[in-house]
Protein backbone atom coordinates (compact mmCIF):
# COMPACT_ATOMS: atom_id res chain seq x y z
CA UNK A 1 0.00 0.00 0.00
CA UNK A 2 2.82 2.34 0.88
CA UNK A 3 4.47 1.49 -2.43
CA UNK A 4 1.26 2.38 -4.22
CA UNK A 5 1.10 5.73 -2.46
CA UNK A 6 4.71 6.45 -3.35
CA UNK A 7 3.97 5.52 -6.94
CA UNK A 8 0.92 7.80 -7.06
CA UNK A 9 3.03 10.53 -5.44
CA UNK A 10 5.71 10.21 -8.08
CA UNK A 11 3.09 10.27 -10.82
CA UNK A 12 1.52 13.35 -9.26
CA UNK A 13 4.89 15.11 -8.98
CA UNK A 14 5.70 14.25 -12.57
CA UNK A 15 2.31 15.56 -13.69
CA UNK A 16 2.83 18.81 -11.76
CA UNK A 17 6.31 19.16 -13.23
CA UNK A 18 4.97 18.50 -16.72
CA UNK A 19 2.21 21.03 -16.13
CA UNK A 20 4.69 23.62 -14.91
CA UNK A 21 6.95 23.02 -17.92
CA UNK A 22 4.00 23.24 -20.25
CA UNK A 23 2.89 26.50 -18.65
CA UNK A 24 6.41 27.89 -18.88
CA UNK A 25 6.69 26.91 -22.55
CA UNK A 26 3.32 28.48 -23.32
CA UNK A 27 4.37 31.70 -21.59
CA UNK A 28 7.72 31.67 -23.44
CA UNK A 29 5.88 31.16 -26.72
CA UNK A 30 3.50 34.01 -25.94
CA UNK A 31 6.38 36.29 -25.07
CA UNK A 32 8.17 35.31 -28.24
CA UNK A 33 5.10 36.23 -30.21
CA UNK A 34 4.96 39.57 -28.39
CA UNK A 35 8.62 40.09 -29.15
CA UNK A 36 7.88 39.64 -32.85
CA UNK A 37 4.57 41.49 -32.97
CA UNK A 38 4.76 44.38 -30.50
CA UNK A 39 6.44 47.57 -31.86
CA UNK A 40 7.64 48.41 -28.35
CA UNK A 41 10.28 45.69 -28.76
CA UNK A 42 11.70 47.35 -31.88
CA UNK A 43 15.02 48.34 -30.31
CA UNK A 44 15.64 44.86 -28.88
CA UNK A 45 14.97 43.18 -32.21
CA UNK A 46 16.98 45.90 -33.96
CA UNK A 47 20.01 45.20 -31.78
CA UNK A 48 19.88 41.49 -32.68
CA UNK A 49 19.47 42.23 -36.38
CA UNK A 50 22.32 44.74 -36.42
CA UNK A 51 24.61 42.14 -34.85
CA UNK A 52 23.52 39.66 -37.51
CA UNK A 53 24.13 42.26 -40.21
CA UNK A 54 27.76 42.65 -39.11
CA UNK A 55 28.34 39.03 -40.03
CA UNK A 56 26.24 39.17 -43.19
CA UNK A 57 27.97 42.24 -44.62
CA UNK A 58 31.38 40.80 -43.73
CA UNK A 59 30.44 37.58 -45.54
CA UNK A 60 29.16 39.51 -48.59
CA UNK A 61 32.33 41.59 -48.84
CA UNK A 62 34.67 38.60 -48.61
CA UNK A 63 32.64 35.97 -50.48
CA UNK A 64 30.78 37.84 -53.24
CA UNK A 65 32.69 39.41 -56.10
CA UNK A 66 32.82 43.21 -56.26
CA UNK A 67 31.31 44.67 -59.44
CA UNK A 68 32.74 47.87 -60.89
CA UNK A 69 30.06 50.25 -62.16
CA UNK A 70 30.49 53.88 -61.03
CA UNK A 71 33.26 53.88 -58.41
CA UNK A 72 36.11 54.59 -60.85
CA UNK A 73 34.02 57.29 -62.49
CA UNK A 74 33.40 58.91 -59.10
CA UNK A 75 37.11 58.85 -58.34
CA UNK A 76 38.00 60.36 -61.74
CA UNK A 77 35.46 63.14 -61.23
CA UNK A 78 36.74 64.17 -57.81
CA UNK A 79 40.34 63.78 -58.96
CA UNK A 80 39.63 66.50 -61.49
CA UNK A 81 38.61 68.83 -58.65
CA UNK A 82 41.69 67.85 -56.65
CA UNK A 83 43.81 68.77 -59.68
CA UNK A 84 42.29 72.26 -59.73
CA UNK A 85 39.37 72.01 -62.18
CA UNK A 86 36.30 73.82 -60.82
CA UNK A 87 34.39 74.15 -64.07
CA UNK A 88 31.68 71.48 -63.86
CA UNK A 89 31.49 71.17 -67.62
CA UNK A 90 35.08 69.91 -67.62
CA UNK A 91 34.63 67.27 -64.91
CA UNK A 92 33.82 63.76 -66.06
CA UNK A 93 34.56 60.09 -65.51
CA UNK A 94 34.37 56.88 -67.52
CA UNK A 95 30.56 56.85 -67.45
CA UNK A 96 30.07 60.48 -68.47
CA UNK A 97 30.09 64.01 -66.99
CA UNK A 98 29.77 64.83 -63.31
CA UNK A 99 26.05 65.31 -62.65
CA UNK A 100 25.91 65.46 -58.83
CA UNK A 101 26.00 68.58 -56.61
CA UNK A 102 29.01 69.77 -54.64
CA UNK A 103 28.33 67.76 -51.47
CA UNK A 104 29.00 64.61 -53.47
CA UNK A 105 32.39 65.99 -54.52
CA UNK A 106 33.53 66.71 -50.95
CA UNK A 107 32.34 63.40 -49.48
CA UNK A 108 33.83 61.28 -52.24
CA UNK A 109 36.98 63.37 -52.14
CA UNK A 110 37.34 62.15 -48.55
CA UNK A 111 36.77 58.58 -49.77
CA UNK A 112 39.38 59.19 -52.48
CA UNK A 113 42.03 59.88 -49.87
CA UNK A 114 40.79 57.18 -47.46
CA UNK A 115 41.08 54.49 -50.14
CA UNK A 116 44.49 55.33 -51.61
CA UNK A 117 43.18 57.46 -54.47
CA UNK A 118 40.29 55.08 -54.96
CA UNK A 119 42.45 51.99 -55.51
CA UNK A 120 41.76 50.19 -52.22
CA UNK A 121 38.36 48.74 -53.04
CA UNK A 122 38.26 46.53 -49.95
CA UNK A 123 38.71 49.57 -47.71
CA UNK A 124 35.89 51.33 -49.57
CA UNK A 125 33.67 48.29 -49.06
CA UNK A 126 34.31 48.29 -45.33
CA UNK A 127 33.53 52.01 -45.14
CA UNK A 128 30.24 51.42 -46.96
CA UNK A 129 29.51 48.48 -44.65
CA UNK A 130 29.82 50.91 -41.73
CA UNK A 131 27.53 53.31 -43.61
CA UNK A 132 25.02 50.50 -44.08
CA UNK A 133 24.96 49.69 -40.36
CA UNK A 134 24.66 53.40 -39.49
CA UNK A 135 21.73 53.70 -41.90
CA UNK A 136 20.01 50.73 -40.26
CA UNK A 137 20.49 52.30 -36.84
CA UNK A 138 18.95 55.59 -38.01
CA UNK A 139 16.03 53.76 -39.61
CA UNK A 140 15.38 51.69 -36.49
CA UNK A 141 15.35 54.85 -34.35
CA UNK A 142 12.64 56.24 -36.63
CA UNK A 143 10.55 53.07 -36.39
CA UNK A 144 11.01 52.97 -32.62
CA UNK A 145 9.39 56.40 -32.31
CA UNK A 146 6.49 55.68 -34.66
CA UNK A 147 5.52 52.31 -33.08
CA UNK A 148 3.65 51.17 -36.19
CA UNK A 149 5.61 48.23 -37.58
CA UNK A 150 5.75 44.79 -35.90
CA UNK A 151 9.39 43.80 -35.31
CA UNK A 152 9.23 40.57 -37.34
CA UNK A 153 9.03 42.71 -40.49
CA UNK A 154 12.53 44.07 -39.88
CA UNK A 155 14.04 40.69 -40.75
CA UNK A 156 12.82 41.23 -44.31
CA UNK A 157 14.14 44.79 -44.25
CA UNK A 158 17.61 43.67 -43.16
CA UNK A 159 18.81 40.17 -43.82
CA UNK A 160 16.60 39.19 -46.76
CA UNK A 161 17.43 41.90 -49.31
CA UNK A 162 20.22 40.90 -51.68
CA UNK A 163 19.81 44.01 -53.84
CA UNK A 164 20.30 46.50 -51.00
CA UNK A 165 23.41 44.74 -49.69
CA UNK A 166 24.73 44.81 -53.25
CA UNK A 167 24.05 48.54 -53.66
CA UNK A 168 25.92 49.36 -50.46
CA UNK A 169 28.96 47.07 -50.38
CA UNK A 170 29.30 45.57 -53.88
CA UNK A 171 28.56 48.61 -56.06
CA UNK A 172 29.56 51.59 -53.83
CA UNK A 173 26.97 53.97 -55.27
CA UNK A 174 26.42 57.47 -53.92
CA UNK A 175 22.68 56.84 -53.32
CA UNK A 176 23.28 55.21 -49.88
CA UNK A 177 25.29 58.25 -48.76
CA UNK A 178 22.42 60.59 -49.62
CA UNK A 179 19.86 58.37 -47.90
CA UNK A 180 21.92 58.01 -44.72
CA UNK A 181 22.01 61.80 -44.42
CA UNK A 182 18.27 61.94 -45.13
CA UNK A 183 17.47 59.50 -42.32
CA UNK A 184 19.71 61.51 -40.00
CA UNK A 185 17.68 64.58 -40.98
CA UNK A 186 14.39 62.82 -40.16
CA UNK A 187 15.71 61.79 -36.75
CA UNK A 188 16.57 65.41 -36.04
CA UNK A 189 13.10 66.50 -37.11
CA UNK A 190 11.58 63.91 -34.79
CA UNK A 191 13.69 65.38 -31.99
CA UNK A 192 12.17 68.78 -32.87
CA UNK A 193 15.58 70.07 -34.03
CA UNK A 194 14.12 71.67 -37.14
CA UNK A 195 17.09 73.86 -38.01
CA UNK A 196 19.59 71.01 -37.82
CA UNK A 197 17.14 68.73 -39.60
CA UNK A 198 16.87 71.15 -42.51
CA UNK A 199 20.65 71.47 -42.59
CA UNK A 200 21.11 67.71 -42.91
CA UNK A 201 18.30 67.55 -45.46
CA UNK A 202 20.10 70.11 -47.62
CA UNK A 203 23.37 68.20 -47.19
CA UNK A 204 21.61 65.05 -48.44
CA UNK A 205 20.31 66.97 -51.48
CA UNK A 206 23.87 68.11 -52.15
CA UNK A 207 24.89 64.46 -52.60
CA UNK A 208 22.05 63.43 -54.89
CA UNK A 209 18.90 65.21 -56.04
CA UNK A 210 16.53 62.31 -55.44
CA UNK A 211 16.18 63.58 -51.85
CA UNK A 212 14.09 66.42 -53.28
CA UNK A 213 11.21 63.92 -53.52
CA UNK A 214 10.88 64.40 -49.75
CA UNK A 215 10.83 68.21 -50.15
CA UNK A 216 7.06 68.71 -50.65
CA UNK A 217 6.40 66.82 -47.43
CA UNK A 218 9.07 68.80 -45.57
CA UNK A 219 7.64 72.10 -46.85
CA UNK A 220 4.17 71.11 -45.67
CA UNK A 221 5.50 70.20 -42.22
CA UNK A 222 7.41 73.48 -41.91
CA UNK A 223 4.36 75.53 -42.89
CA UNK A 224 2.12 73.53 -40.56
CA UNK A 225 4.47 73.97 -37.63
CA UNK A 226 5.76 77.52 -38.16
CA UNK A 227 3.73 79.28 -40.86
CA UNK A 228 5.41 81.08 -43.75
CA UNK A 229 7.35 83.59 -41.67
CA UNK A 230 8.67 80.92 -39.32
CA UNK A 231 9.46 78.49 -42.14
CA UNK A 232 11.52 80.98 -44.17
CA UNK A 233 14.61 80.82 -41.87
CA UNK A 234 14.56 77.00 -42.08
CA UNK A 235 14.27 77.14 -45.87
CA UNK A 236 17.03 79.73 -45.85
CA UNK A 237 19.31 77.24 -44.11
CA UNK A 238 18.73 74.79 -46.96
CA UNK A 239 19.43 77.42 -49.62
CA UNK A 240 22.50 78.96 -47.94
CA UNK A 241 24.12 75.57 -47.44
CA UNK A 242 23.72 74.78 -51.14
CA UNK A 243 25.36 78.08 -52.05
CA UNK A 244 28.24 77.61 -49.59
CA UNK A 245 28.97 74.06 -50.77
CA UNK A 246 28.81 75.03 -54.42
CA UNK A 247 30.64 78.36 -54.08
CA UNK A 248 33.99 77.31 -55.66
CA UNK A 249 32.14 75.95 -58.67
CA UNK A 250 29.65 78.83 -58.85
CA UNK A 251 32.51 81.33 -58.92
CA UNK A 252 34.16 79.44 -61.80
CA UNK A 253 31.13 78.70 -63.99
CA UNK A 254 27.73 79.23 -62.31
CA UNK A 255 25.67 78.20 -65.35
CA UNK A 256 27.76 75.09 -65.88
CA UNK A 257 27.44 74.06 -62.22
CA UNK A 258 23.68 74.57 -62.00
CA UNK A 259 22.93 72.97 -65.37
CA UNK A 260 25.02 69.88 -64.60
CA UNK A 261 24.38 69.28 -60.90
CA UNK A 262 20.67 70.14 -60.88
CA UNK A 263 19.65 68.91 -64.33
CA UNK A 264 15.98 67.93 -63.90
CA UNK A 265 15.58 67.13 -67.59
CA UNK A 266 18.36 64.55 -67.87
CA UNK A 267 17.44 61.67 -70.18
CA UNK A 268 17.56 58.11 -68.87
CA UNK A 269 18.50 55.03 -70.91
CA UNK A 270 15.71 52.55 -71.59
CA UNK A 271 17.97 49.53 -71.11
CA UNK A 272 18.43 50.33 -67.39
CA UNK A 273 14.81 51.04 -66.47
CA UNK A 274 13.24 48.87 -63.78
CA UNK A 275 9.74 50.34 -63.81
CA UNK A 276 8.81 51.03 -67.46
CA UNK A 277 10.12 47.97 -69.33
CA UNK A 278 6.65 47.12 -70.69
CA UNK A 279 6.48 50.40 -72.65
CA UNK A 280 7.82 50.89 -76.19
CA UNK A 281 11.18 52.66 -76.04
CA UNK A 282 9.89 55.53 -78.19
CA UNK A 283 7.13 56.25 -75.66
CA UNK A 284 9.56 55.91 -72.73
CA UNK A 285 11.78 58.60 -74.28
CA UNK A 286 8.93 60.88 -75.41
CA UNK A 287 8.72 64.29 -73.78
CA UNK A 288 4.94 64.15 -73.53
CA UNK A 289 5.18 61.01 -71.41
CA UNK A 290 7.58 62.77 -69.03
CA UNK A 291 5.26 65.77 -68.72
CA UNK A 292 2.27 63.50 -68.08
CA UNK A 293 4.15 61.76 -65.27
CA UNK A 294 5.15 65.11 -63.76
CA UNK A 295 1.55 66.38 -63.93
CA UNK A 296 0.24 63.19 -62.30
CA UNK A 297 2.89 63.44 -59.61
CA UNK A 298 1.91 67.02 -58.76
CA UNK A 299 -1.83 66.24 -58.82
CA UNK A 300 -1.37 63.28 -56.48
CA UNK A 301 0.70 65.39 -54.08
CA UNK A 302 -1.99 68.09 -54.13
CA UNK A 303 -4.71 65.52 -53.39
CA UNK A 304 -2.80 64.19 -50.40
CA UNK A 305 -2.13 67.72 -49.14
CA UNK A 306 -5.78 68.76 -49.40
CA UNK A 307 -7.50 65.52 -48.37
CA UNK A 308 -5.07 63.65 -46.12
CA UNK A 309 -2.55 66.03 -44.58
CA UNK A 310 -4.42 69.32 -44.12
CA UNK A 311 -7.29 68.41 -41.77
CA UNK A 312 -7.95 71.54 -39.72
CA UNK A 313 -11.08 72.64 -41.59
CA UNK A 314 -9.45 75.93 -42.58
CA UNK A 315 -8.35 76.92 -46.07
CA UNK A 316 -5.00 75.56 -47.24
CA UNK A 317 -3.84 79.18 -47.31
CA UNK A 318 -4.07 79.21 -43.51
CA UNK A 319 -0.74 77.38 -43.51
CA UNK A 320 0.87 80.67 -44.52
CA UNK A 321 -0.34 82.35 -41.33
CA UNK A 322 1.49 82.40 -38.05
CA UNK A 323 0.24 79.34 -36.12
CA UNK A 324 -0.94 81.51 -33.20
CA UNK A 325 -3.26 83.45 -35.54
CA UNK A 326 -5.06 80.42 -37.00
CA UNK A 327 -8.59 79.49 -36.00
CA UNK A 328 -7.46 76.02 -34.91
CA UNK A 329 -4.92 76.20 -32.04
CA UNK A 330 -1.44 75.09 -33.12
CA UNK A 331 -0.44 71.58 -32.04
CA UNK A 332 3.07 70.07 -32.06
CA UNK A 333 3.54 67.44 -34.74
CA UNK A 334 3.61 63.80 -33.67
CA UNK A 335 6.30 61.38 -34.91
CA UNK A 336 3.78 59.57 -37.13
CA UNK A 337 2.64 62.80 -38.74
CA UNK A 338 6.24 63.73 -39.59
CA UNK A 339 7.23 60.28 -40.86
CA UNK A 340 3.99 59.61 -42.73
CA UNK A 341 4.16 62.94 -44.56
CA UNK A 342 7.82 62.58 -45.57
CA UNK A 343 7.64 58.91 -46.56
CA UNK A 344 4.41 59.40 -48.53
CA UNK A 345 5.81 62.44 -50.33
CA UNK A 346 8.84 60.43 -51.43
CA UNK A 347 6.77 57.37 -52.37
CA UNK A 348 4.48 59.38 -54.64
CA UNK A 349 7.57 60.62 -56.46
CA UNK A 350 8.82 57.03 -56.82
CA UNK A 351 5.47 55.89 -58.26
CA UNK A 352 5.55 58.49 -61.02
CA UNK A 353 9.29 58.55 -61.67
CA UNK A 354 10.43 58.77 -65.30
CA UNK A 355 12.75 55.85 -64.67
CA UNK A 356 14.05 53.81 -61.77
CA UNK A 357 17.49 52.24 -61.99
CA UNK A 358 18.68 49.40 -59.77
CA UNK A 359 20.60 51.59 -57.34
CA UNK A 360 17.48 53.73 -56.85
CA UNK A 361 15.95 50.95 -54.74
CA UNK A 362 17.50 52.47 -51.62
CA UNK A 363 15.50 55.65 -52.28
CA UNK A 364 12.50 54.02 -50.63
CA UNK A 365 13.44 50.48 -49.55
CA UNK A 366 13.73 51.29 -45.84
CA UNK A 367 10.42 53.21 -45.89
CA UNK A 368 8.38 50.30 -47.30
CA UNK A 369 7.64 48.62 -43.93
CA UNK A 370 6.14 51.84 -42.62
CA UNK A 371 4.13 52.49 -45.79
CA UNK A 372 2.73 48.94 -45.69
CA UNK A 373 2.07 48.65 -41.95
CA UNK A 374 1.04 52.23 -41.12
CA UNK A 375 -2.63 51.33 -41.71
CA UNK A 376 -4.66 48.85 -39.58
CA UNK A 377 -4.42 45.15 -40.39
CA UNK A 378 -8.07 45.01 -41.49
CA UNK A 379 -7.02 46.61 -44.77
CA UNK A 380 -4.29 44.11 -45.57
CA UNK A 381 -3.28 41.09 -43.54
CA UNK A 382 0.33 40.56 -42.52
CA UNK A 383 0.62 37.83 -45.15
CA UNK A 384 -0.60 40.07 -47.98
CA UNK A 385 1.74 42.85 -46.92
CA UNK A 386 4.66 40.45 -46.90
CA UNK A 387 3.58 39.28 -50.35
CA UNK A 388 3.70 42.87 -51.64
CA UNK A 389 7.10 43.35 -50.01
CA UNK A 390 8.36 40.12 -51.58
CA UNK A 391 7.08 41.01 -55.06
CA UNK A 392 8.80 44.40 -54.87
CA UNK A 393 12.05 42.70 -53.86
CA UNK A 394 11.66 40.18 -56.70
CA UNK A 395 11.03 42.96 -59.23
CA UNK A 396 14.19 44.77 -58.17
CA UNK A 397 16.22 41.55 -58.33
CA UNK A 398 15.11 40.67 -61.85
CA UNK A 399 18.00 41.60 -64.15
CA UNK A 400 17.49 42.68 -66.80
CA UNK A 401 14.00 43.85 -65.99
CA UNK A 402 11.09 42.37 -67.93
CA UNK A 403 7.62 43.54 -68.81
CA UNK A 404 6.26 41.28 -66.07
CA UNK A 405 8.66 42.50 -63.39
CA UNK A 406 7.92 46.16 -64.23
CA UNK A 407 4.17 45.56 -64.26
CA UNK A 408 4.38 43.72 -60.92
CA UNK A 409 6.30 46.64 -59.44
CA UNK A 410 3.62 49.12 -60.54
CA UNK A 411 0.84 46.89 -59.18
CA UNK A 412 2.58 46.73 -55.80
CA UNK A 413 3.08 50.51 -55.80
CA UNK A 414 -0.60 50.98 -56.64
CA UNK A 415 -1.63 48.73 -53.74
CA UNK A 416 0.50 50.73 -51.30
CA UNK A 417 -0.70 54.08 -52.65
CA UNK A 418 -4.34 52.99 -52.44
CA UNK A 419 -3.81 51.76 -48.89
CA UNK A 420 -2.26 55.11 -47.93
CA UNK A 421 -5.23 56.92 -49.45
CA UNK A 422 -7.87 54.74 -47.76
CA UNK A 423 -6.01 54.48 -44.47
CA UNK A 424 -6.56 56.61 -41.35
CA UNK A 425 -5.78 60.30 -41.47
CA UNK A 426 -2.23 61.12 -40.33
CA UNK A 427 -3.59 64.57 -39.38
CA UNK A 428 -6.87 63.99 -37.50
CA UNK A 429 -8.88 67.00 -36.40
CA UNK A 430 -7.97 66.43 -32.76
CA UNK A 431 -4.22 66.05 -32.39
CA UNK A 432 -2.56 64.72 -29.27
CA UNK A 433 -0.08 67.00 -27.63
CA UNK A 434 3.57 65.94 -27.73
CA UNK A 435 6.90 67.62 -27.17
CA UNK A 436 7.17 71.33 -27.60
CA UNK A 437 8.65 72.38 -30.95
CA UNK A 438 12.19 73.63 -30.84
Amino acid sequence: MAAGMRKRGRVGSAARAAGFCGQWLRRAWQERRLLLLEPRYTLLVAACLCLAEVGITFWVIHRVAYTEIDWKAYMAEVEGVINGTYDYTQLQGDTGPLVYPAGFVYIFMGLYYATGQGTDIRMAQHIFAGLYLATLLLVFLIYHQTCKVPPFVFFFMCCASYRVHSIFVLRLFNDPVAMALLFLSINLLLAQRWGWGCCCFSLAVSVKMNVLLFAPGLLFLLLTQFGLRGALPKLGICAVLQVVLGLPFLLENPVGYLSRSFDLGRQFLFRWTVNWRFLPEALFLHRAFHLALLATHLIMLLLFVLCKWHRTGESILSLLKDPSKRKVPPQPLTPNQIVSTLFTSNFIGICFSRSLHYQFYVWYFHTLPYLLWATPARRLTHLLRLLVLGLIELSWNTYPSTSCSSAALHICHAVILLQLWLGPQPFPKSIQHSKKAH
Side-chain angles (χ1 to χ4, degrees), residues 39 42 139-151 153-154 156-157 183 186 190 214 221 304 309 334-347 364-377 380 385-386 388-389 392 415-417 419-421 423-428:
T42 293
V139 170
F140 279 131
L141 289 174
I142 293 171
Y143 280 117
H144 169 65
Q145 295 183 71
T146 57
C147 287
K148 285 286 186 180
V149 181
V153 180
F154 299 133
F156 301 95
M157 189 184 77
F183 289 126
I186 294 177
L190 291 173
F214 291 88
L221 293 173
F304 268 83
W309 299 346
T334 66
N336 275 292
Q337 289 167 348
I338 294 173
V339 173
S340 176
T341 303
L342 292 172
F343 284 8
T344 302
S345 173
N346 178 64
F347 183 71
Y364 76 129
F365 171 77
H366 293 100
T367 72
L368 287 173
Y370 185 89
L371 296 172
L372 279 165
W373 270 269
T375 55
L380 284 177
R385 296 172 203 235
L386 289 175
V388 171
L389 203 60
I392 291 175
V415 169
I416 297 174
L417 195 60
Q419 180 183 243
L420 291 171
W421 180 258
Q425 309 291 347
F427 286 81

Side-chain angles (χ1 to χ4, degrees), residues 387-406:
L387 177 62
V388 171
L389 203 60
L391 285 174
I392 291 175
E393 179 72 19
L394 182 62
S395 299
W396 283 95
N397 280 284
T398 302
Y399 177 80
S401 62
T402 64
S403 296
C404 290
S405 67
S406 292

Side-chain angles (χ1 to χ4, degrees), residues 106 323 326 368:
Y106 301 127
R326 298 172 189 166
L368 287 173

Side-chain angles (χ1 to χ4, degrees), residues 260-271:
R260 283 287 177 86
S261 59
F262 295 98
D263 183 9
L264 297 175
R266 186 157 58 99
Q267 187 64 273
F268 294 104
L269 297 177
F270 182 68
R271 67 187 179 118

